[in-house]
Amino acid sequence: MKAIIILSLIASVALAQTKTKDLAYFCPPCHSGCDDLVFDKPGPCPHCGMTLAQQTHAERKTEMSRKPITVCFYLQDGVEVLDFAGPMEVFSYAGFNVFTVSKTKEPILSQGILKILPDYSMADAPAADVMAFFGGNASQGFDESVVSWIKSREKNTDYFFSVCTGAFAFGKAGILDNKTATTFHLSIEGLRKSFPKTKVLSDVRFVDNGNVITTAGISAGIDGALHLVAKLKGENAAKEAAAYMEYDKWVPKEGLVLSGNEKP
């Protein structure tokens, strides 16, 4: 009996030593060159600055084999810079695969300042797990071609995310029917009048209906994006992204979270 116990202890120690040797530190996947690097001590990634995580090589291999969550950012002339740039940083740091789409591949101008070259047009954009729309000077002008495009992708999209008056695009597509939503504070009444089937709230940073998330204006998009990261990848992933961005304003679970309408 003693011999069996001793052999079991030796095997346990050997297994623990093997696992310890297999442990290393890796950068959270951020789609940069540092995704392939291995580190022998904790700390920030020297390339992107994100906090290194300890994993076994097998765990890392499994994580890297997972298909990244894809996010389609629809951008239009006059789009508000921070409306899309804030959430873009959040999703990027959290390891999501973000791409931009517009009506055509022609350059668009954000707030008359920033020239943007879309990755895709509506005609050739790939499917995405998340569809995101944003506000700005031209946000009320989502025409029928854009609305039809949204409708054509509804069945193959898991989540819909809007910032500021980007909610008007989803309202026109019927995605906000019988749901609760919010938007930029100066456009609350406009959203109410335009979409009487939608319950529109003011004084809330974001509203989560399950698979439809709308946020208030500009900076509130960062809060909504962090909430969606926490929802899809866990609160620690959102906290790491917020810390990396030095966004100490974020309060987890802030906003209105409703049940229902969640896709499996």
Side-chain angles (χ1 to χ4, degrees):
M1 177 64 76
K2 287 184 178 180
I4 293 174
I5 293 174
I6 291 171
L7 287 172
S8 296
L9 289 172
I10 292 172
S12 297
V13 170
L15 181 63
Q17 289 177 339
T18 300
K19 186 173 182 180
T20 300
K21 288 181 180 179
D22 191 42
L23 283 171
Y25 293 89
F26 302 90
C27 178
C30 60
H31 307 296
S32 299
C34 46
D35 284 353
D36 300 322
L37 300 180
V38 182
F39 302 90
D40 59 3
K41 58 184 179 181
C45 172
H47 298 273
C48 73
M50 295 192 76
T51 302
L52 300 175
Q54 189 179 49
Q55 296 175 295
T56 65
H57 287 272
E59 289 170 338
R60 179 63 170 187
K61 184 177 180 180
T62 299
E63 181 179 26
M64 295 303 293
S65 67
R66 293 192 189 106
K67 181 182 176 182
I69 297 168
T70 54
V71 189
C72 165
F73 273 42
Y74 182 88
L75 306 178
Q76 73 283 349
D77 271 320
V79 65
E80 170 78 35
V81 173
L82 191 56
D83 269 15
F84 75 87
M88 184 175 281
E89 292 214 17
V90 171
F91 293 137
S92 175
Y93 292 143
F96 291 24
N97 182 13
V98 180
F99 60 85
T100 58
V101 178
S102 194
K103 271 190 179 184
T104 70
K105 293 181 181 178
E106 293 298 314
I108 60 175
L109 200 59
S110 173
Q111 291 184 281
I113 304 169
L114 179 66
K115 187 176 288 187
I116 303 164
L117 188 63
D119 296 316
Y120 300 97
S121 69
M122 291 193 304
D124 65 1
D129 301 307
V130 182
M131 178 182 287
F133 269 71
F134 308 91
N137 296 335
S139 61
Q140 304 281 347
F142 299 120
D143 64 24
E144 190 54 41
S145 66
V146 177
V147 173
S148 295
W149 181 73
I150 296 172
K151 289 179 178 179
S152 71
R153 297 191 165 228
E154 186 173 0
K155 290 183 179 179
N156 295 320
T157 301
D158 293 329
Y159 295 91
F160 296 88
F161 176 83
S162 73
V163 178
C164 193
T165 49
F168 281 81
F170 293 155
K172 289 182 177 182
I175 290 171
L176 300 185
D177 286 357
N178 304 313
K179 291 184 174 63
T180 303
T182 191
T183 187
F184 182 52
H185 65 99
L186 295 180
S187 299
I188 292 290
E189 288 305 318
L191 195 66
R192 284 177 180 150
K193 291 177 181 179
S194 298
F195 309 108
K197 293 182 180 180
T198 303
K199 182 179 180 181
V200 181
L201 301 180
S202 59
D203 300 321
V204 62
R205 297 289 282 178
F206 65 82
V207 179
D208 179 358
N209 291 271
N211 74 317
V212 178
I213 298 172
T214 57
T215 83
I218 311 176
S219 65
I222 298 174
D223 294 37
L226 287 167
H227 169 74
L228 185 53
V229 168
K231 184 177 179 120
L232 298 182
K233 298 192 71 173
E235 195 167 295
N236 283 339
K239 286 181 176 178
E240 287 177 2
Y244 183 79
M245 295 169 64
E246 297 188 18
Y247 186 63
D248 53 9
K249 157 75 180 67
W250 184 56
V251 179
K253 299 180 176 66
E254 184 181 40
L256 178 62
V257 180
L258 304 171
S259 61
N261 303 312
E262 187 81 59
K263 287 195 176 183

Short mmCIF file of all heavy atoms in Angstrom, two decimals, residues 75-85 107-117 134-138:
data_model
loop_
_atom_site.label_atom_id
_atom_site.label_comp_id
_atom_site.label_asym_id
_atom_site.label_seq_id
_atom_site.Cartn_x
_atom_site.Cartn_y
_atom_site.Cartn_z
N LEU A 75 -19.88 52.56 -42.46
CA LEU A 75 -19.51 53.97 -42.32
C LEU A 75 -20.04 54.75 -43.52
O LEU A 75 -20.05 54.25 -44.64
CB LEU A 75 -17.99 54.13 -42.23
CG LEU A 75 -17.28 53.31 -41.14
CD1 LEU A 75 -15.78 53.55 -41.20
CD2 LEU A 75 -17.82 53.66 -39.75
N GLN A 76 -20.47 55.99 -43.28
CA GLN A 76 -21.01 56.84 -44.33
C GLN A 76 -20.40 58.24 -44.25
O GLN A 76 -19.82 58.60 -43.22
CB GLN A 76 -22.54 56.92 -44.21
CG GLN A 76 -23.07 57.76 -43.06
CD GLN A 76 -22.99 57.08 -41.71
OE1 GLN A 76 -22.72 55.90 -41.62
NE2 GLN A 76 -23.23 57.83 -40.64
N ASP A 77 -20.51 59.00 -45.32
CA ASP A 77 -20.00 60.37 -45.30
C ASP A 77 -20.60 61.13 -44.12
O ASP A 77 -21.82 61.05 -43.88
CB ASP A 77 -20.35 61.10 -46.60
CG ASP A 77 -19.29 60.91 -47.67
OD1 ASP A 77 -18.10 60.94 -47.32
OD2 ASP A 77 -19.65 60.73 -48.85
N GLY A 78 -19.76 61.84 -43.40
CA GLY A 78 -20.22 62.62 -42.26
C GLY A 78 -20.28 61.84 -40.96
O GLY A 78 -20.69 62.38 -39.93
N VAL A 79 -19.88 60.56 -40.97
CA VAL A 79 -19.92 59.77 -39.75
C VAL A 79 -19.07 60.43 -38.66
O VAL A 79 -18.00 60.99 -38.94
CB VAL A 79 -19.45 58.32 -40.02
CG1 VAL A 79 -17.99 58.26 -40.44
CG2 VAL A 79 -19.69 57.43 -38.81
N GLU A 80 -19.54 60.39 -37.44
CA GLU A 80 -18.83 60.96 -36.29
C GLU A 80 -17.59 60.13 -35.99
O GLU A 80 -17.66 58.91 -35.86
CB GLU A 80 -19.77 60.97 -35.08
CG GLU A 80 -19.12 61.30 -33.76
CD GLU A 80 -18.86 62.78 -33.57
OE1 GLU A 80 -19.69 63.60 -34.04
OE2 GLU A 80 -17.84 63.12 -32.96
N VAL A 81 -16.42 60.78 -35.85
CA VAL A 81 -15.16 60.06 -35.66
C VAL A 81 -15.20 59.18 -34.42
O VAL A 81 -14.94 57.97 -34.48
CB VAL A 81 -13.97 61.04 -35.57
CG1 VAL A 81 -12.70 60.28 -35.20
CG2 VAL A 81 -13.77 61.78 -36.88
N LEU A 82 -15.53 59.75 -33.26
CA LEU A 82 -15.48 58.98 -32.02
C LEU A 82 -16.59 57.93 -31.96
O LEU A 82 -16.45 56.91 -31.28
CB LEU A 82 -15.56 59.89 -30.80
CG LEU A 82 -15.26 59.23 -29.45
CD1 LEU A 82 -13.90 58.55 -29.45
CD2 LEU A 82 -15.35 60.24 -28.31
N ASP A 83 -17.70 58.17 -32.68
CA ASP A 83 -18.77 57.17 -32.72
C ASP A 83 -18.22 55.80 -33.10
O ASP A 83 -18.57 54.78 -32.50
CB ASP A 83 -19.82 57.57 -33.76
CG ASP A 83 -20.94 58.40 -33.17
OD1 ASP A 83 -20.78 58.90 -32.04
OD2 ASP A 83 -21.98 58.57 -33.83
N PHE A 84 -17.38 55.76 -34.15
CA PHE A 84 -16.87 54.46 -34.60
C PHE A 84 -15.46 54.17 -34.10
O PHE A 84 -15.10 53.01 -33.88
CB PHE A 84 -16.92 54.35 -36.13
CG PHE A 84 -15.87 55.13 -36.87
CD1 PHE A 84 -14.62 54.58 -37.12
CD2 PHE A 84 -16.13 56.42 -37.33
CE1 PHE A 84 -13.65 55.30 -37.82
CE2 PHE A 84 -15.17 57.14 -38.02
CZ PHE A 84 -13.92 56.59 -38.26
N ALA A 85 -14.64 55.21 -33.89
CA ALA A 85 -13.25 54.98 -33.50
C ALA A 85 -13.14 54.40 -32.09
O ALA A 85 -12.29 53.54 -31.83
CB ALA A 85 -12.46 56.28 -33.60
N PRO A 107 -13.56 56.72 -51.22
CA PRO A 107 -13.24 57.31 -49.90
C PRO A 107 -14.44 58.10 -49.36
O PRO A 107 -15.19 58.71 -50.12
CB PRO A 107 -12.07 58.24 -50.21
CG PRO A 107 -11.46 57.69 -51.46
CD PRO A 107 -12.61 57.14 -52.25
N ILE A 108 -14.62 58.04 -48.04
CA ILE A 108 -15.64 58.84 -47.38
C ILE A 108 -14.95 59.78 -46.41
O ILE A 108 -13.79 59.57 -46.02
CB ILE A 108 -16.68 57.96 -46.65
CG1 ILE A 108 -15.99 57.11 -45.58
CG2 ILE A 108 -17.44 57.08 -47.62
CD1 ILE A 108 -16.95 56.31 -44.74
N LEU A 109 -15.66 60.84 -46.02
CA LEU A 109 -15.06 61.87 -45.16
C LEU A 109 -15.82 61.93 -43.84
O LEU A 109 -17.03 62.15 -43.81
CB LEU A 109 -15.12 63.22 -45.86
CG LEU A 109 -14.14 64.30 -45.37
CD1 LEU A 109 -12.70 63.83 -45.51
CD2 LEU A 109 -14.35 65.58 -46.19
N SER A 110 -15.09 61.73 -42.76
CA SER A 110 -15.68 61.77 -41.42
C SER A 110 -15.56 63.17 -40.85
O SER A 110 -14.45 63.67 -40.65
CB SER A 110 -14.97 60.76 -40.51
OG SER A 110 -15.40 60.90 -39.17
N GLN A 111 -16.70 63.83 -40.60
CA GLN A 111 -16.77 65.17 -40.02
C GLN A 111 -15.95 66.21 -40.80
O GLN A 111 -15.48 67.18 -40.23
CB GLN A 111 -16.29 65.14 -38.56
CG GLN A 111 -17.24 64.39 -37.63
CD GLN A 111 -16.79 64.47 -36.19
OE1 GLN A 111 -15.89 63.73 -35.78
NE2 GLN A 111 -17.41 65.34 -35.43
N GLY A 112 -15.78 65.96 -42.08
CA GLY A 112 -15.01 66.89 -42.90
C GLY A 112 -13.54 66.93 -42.56
O GLY A 112 -12.81 67.83 -43.00
N ILE A 113 -13.07 65.92 -41.81
CA ILE A 113 -11.68 65.93 -41.32
C ILE A 113 -10.90 64.70 -41.79
O ILE A 113 -9.81 64.80 -42.35
CB ILE A 113 -11.65 65.96 -39.78
CG1 ILE A 113 -12.42 67.15 -39.23
CG2 ILE A 113 -10.21 65.98 -39.26
CD1 ILE A 113 -12.65 67.09 -37.74
N LEU A 114 -11.48 63.54 -41.52
CA LEU A 114 -10.75 62.28 -41.68
C LEU A 114 -11.23 61.54 -42.92
O LEU A 114 -12.41 61.20 -43.03
CB LEU A 114 -10.95 61.41 -40.43
CG LEU A 114 -10.29 60.04 -40.43
CD1 LEU A 114 -8.77 60.18 -40.43
CD2 LEU A 114 -10.76 59.23 -39.22
N LYS A 115 -10.32 61.26 -43.85
CA LYS A 115 -10.66 60.50 -45.05
C LYS A 115 -10.48 59.01 -44.76
O LYS A 115 -9.46 58.58 -44.23
CB LYS A 115 -9.78 60.93 -46.22
CG LYS A 115 -10.19 60.31 -47.55
CD LYS A 115 -9.34 60.84 -48.70
CE LYS A 115 -9.69 62.27 -49.03
NZ LYS A 115 -8.98 62.74 -50.25
N ILE A 116 -11.51 58.22 -45.10
CA ILE A 116 -11.51 56.79 -44.81
C ILE A 116 -11.72 56.02 -46.10
O ILE A 116 -12.60 56.35 -46.90
CB ILE A 116 -12.65 56.44 -43.82
CG1 ILE A 116 -12.51 57.26 -42.53
CG2 ILE A 116 -12.66 54.95 -43.51
CD1 ILE A 116 -13.77 57.25 -41.69
N LEU A 117 -10.93 54.97 -46.30
CA LEU A 117 -11.07 54.10 -47.45
C LEU A 117 -11.71 52.79 -46.97
O LEU A 117 -11.05 52.00 -46.29
CB LEU A 117 -9.72 53.82 -48.10
CG LEU A 117 -9.73 53.07 -49.42
CD1 LEU A 117 -10.46 53.89 -50.49
CD2 LEU A 117 -8.31 52.76 -49.88
N PHE A 134 -23.32 53.78 -37.08
CA PHE A 134 -22.90 54.94 -36.28
C PHE A 134 -23.56 56.22 -36.77
O PHE A 134 -24.05 56.30 -37.89
CB PHE A 134 -21.37 55.06 -36.33
CG PHE A 134 -20.68 53.78 -35.97
CD1 PHE A 134 -20.34 52.86 -36.96
CD2 PHE A 134 -20.42 53.46 -34.65
CE1 PHE A 134 -19.75 51.65 -36.64
CE2 PHE A 134 -19.82 52.25 -34.31
CZ PHE A 134 -19.48 51.35 -35.30
N GLY A 135 -23.54 57.25 -35.93
CA GLY A 135 -24.20 58.51 -36.25
C GLY A 135 -23.28 59.50 -36.92
O GLY A 135 -22.19 59.17 -37.39
N GLY A 136 -23.72 60.75 -36.95
CA GLY A 136 -22.96 61.81 -37.61
C GLY A 136 -23.87 62.68 -38.43
O GLY A 136 -25.09 62.51 -38.45
N ASN A 137 -23.28 63.62 -39.15
CA ASN A 137 -24.07 64.60 -39.90
C ASN A 137 -25.01 63.97 -40.92
O ASN A 137 -26.07 64.50 -41.21
CB ASN A 137 -23.13 65.57 -40.62
CG ASN A 137 -22.32 66.38 -39.63
OD1 ASN A 137 -22.73 66.57 -38.49
ND2 ASN A 137 -21.16 66.87 -40.05
N ALA A 138 -24.62 62.84 -41.47
CA ALA A 138 -25.42 62.24 -42.54
C ALA A 138 -26.25 61.06 -42.03
O ALA A 138 -26.83 60.32 -42.81
CB ALA A 138 -24.51 61.76 -43.67
#
